[in-house]
Amino acid sequence: MSLHIESVGAGPDLVLLHGWAMHSGIWLEVRSGLAQHFRLHLVDLPGHGFSPGFNTADISGSHAGMLERTVEMIADILPANCIACGWSLGGQVAIELALRDAARIAKVALISTTPSFVKRKDGGNDSHDSPGQAGWAWGMDASALQLFTRNLRRDCRTTLQRFLTLQVSGGSDTASELTWLRDSLFERGDPDEASLAAGLQILLSADLRKKIKNISQPVLLFHGENDVITHPDAARWMNRQLQNSKLIMLRNCGHVPFLSYPGQFIDGMVRFSRTGTQ
């Protein structure tokens, strides 16, 4: 299976990885601005946009296998010395890519990303700086995500529309952002429902807390302080764990900071490519 990827612009290589249920068209608002400074590689994840879905063997595997397979396919098309930029689920893919091939990925940008989308009870919540030992309070209840999975099977389109509403909650211009997302959602056809379900299993099960501290590359964290999908404290926690990172926390911003504040996003990415995080 080959992934759909579009390359445009000139400059350092920047690989853009979208989130669950969307496609690489989500970057449209910042695409032309970024292309003035970067050689962009816009990837459609499996079963999203113009990329074919997982095959039956992939779907029947574990969540870890599905995430690993996605990472493998993207790793095969990465240019050398690139910046891997992932939004939401795409951020988890970018984390795994950075750990898999540190020689090829020079820097990492994590947009509205969390190491765990769901709450966890492994040891309690008395420590913020001990991945794998402390509990994880900065996620959704697993039951809520499981209900979302059941609703997806019953009525895929309505469930996706509701998901978009969560993405813009707390944003600076909620109405226009929601309209833009709804117009974009199905412009490349309906997402593959089996791949959507597989993606939800990754969101439900993946826990990357123990891996975060092993990222050696410079990392830029972009997050909205009103994000209701990936809690802003998740970004603050990652900022503490990472060896070399910078956190940009945006006020009056929900889950889609590059849509709420495209100018600040572009400027932040350009500065990051030139100077890193120090």
Side-chain angles (χ1 to χ4, degrees):
M1 184 176 82
S2 60
L3 297 177
H4 174 80
I5 179 170
E6 182 180 0
S7 299
V8 62
D13 289 292
L14 174 60
V15 179
L16 297 175
L17 305 169
H18 63 81
W20 181 82
M22 297 305 296
H23 50 74
S24 59
I26 191 68
W27 305 103
L28 181 62
E29 289 293 295
V30 295
R31 170 177 164 151
S32 61
L34 289 173
Q36 296 177 33
H37 305 277
F38 299 96
R39 176 66 170 168
L40 301 181
H41 305 275
L42 302 109
V43 181
D44 282 349
L45 297 180
H48 296 69
F50 296 136
S51 288
F54 287 104
N55 59 39
T56 303
D58 289 325
I59 293 299
S60 63
S62 66
H63 76 273
M66 289 181 281
L67 179 57
E68 181 179 349
R69 179 65 183 134
T70 299
V71 171
E72 287 176 352
M73 288 189 291
I74 296 172
D76 288 342
I77 59 176
L78 285 177
N81 199 38
C82 68
I83 301 172
C85 175
W87 168 58
S88 198
L89 172 60
Q92 290 198 338
V93 175
I95 289 171
E96 294 282 15
L97 286 167
L99 293 168
R100 173 190 174 98
D101 199 344
R104 183 174 291 187
I105 297 178
K107 298 177 181 179
V108 184
L110 302 178
I111 318 304
S112 305
T113 298
T114 176
S116 175
F117 278 87
V118 298
K119 295 177 180 177
R120 305 194 184 273
K121 298 180 179 179
D122 50 349
N125 297 313
D126 55 342
S127 171
H128 291 174
D129 295 309
S130 300
Q133 298 176 8
W136 185 253
W138 304 313
M140 301 179 184
D141 290 327
S143 59
L145 198 52
Q146 290 163 348
L147 176 61
F148 194 81
T149 303
R150 294 193 294 272
N151 288 338
L152 187 73
R153 290 195 294 266
R154 295 190 186 106
D155 188 341
C156 180
R157 278 186 167 246
T158 299
T159 302
L160 291 177
Q161 296 281 10
R162 291 172 179 168
F163 179 64
L164 296 184
T165 302
L166 289 177
Q167 294 195 37
V168 300
S169 296
S172 58
D173 190 3
T174 300
S176 64
E177 291 175 13
L178 183 58
T179 298
W180 190 90
L181 286 172
R182 285 176 172 170
D183 289 344
S184 301
L185 180 60
F186 300 110
E187 68 178 5
R188 297 189 179 185
D190 288 2
D192 177 68
E193 291 191 27
S195 295
L196 290 178
L200 282 178
Q201 286 305 305
I202 294 174
L203 299 185
L204 183 63
S205 304
D207 184 359
L208 307 181
R209 287 177 292 161
K210 292 182 180 180
K211 296 183 176 182
I212 289 293
K213 64 181 180 181
N214 296 322
I215 295 177
S216 59
Q217 299 96 324
V219 179
L220 178 63
L221 301 160
F222 256 102
H223 218 96
E225 67 174 10
N226 297 334
D227 194 332
V228 299
I229 295 177
T230 55
H231 198 288
D233 281 339
R236 296 184 180 103
W237 181 88
M238 289 193 295
N239 187 215
R240 293 194 296 269
Q241 305 302 319
L242 291 160
Q243 301 174 33
N244 182 8
S245 66
K246 178 179 180 180
L247 172 61
I248 298 177
M249 187 67 69
L250 297 171
R251 300 181 62 185
N252 301 316
C253 181
H255 191 59
V256 198
F258 52 88
L259 185 57
S260 300
Y261 295 99
Q264 286 181 246
F265 178 76
I266 293 169
D267 290 345
M269 290 299 299
V270 171
R271 288 196 300 270
F272 179 55
S273 71
R274 292 174 178 172
T275 63
T277 62
Q278 299 297 335

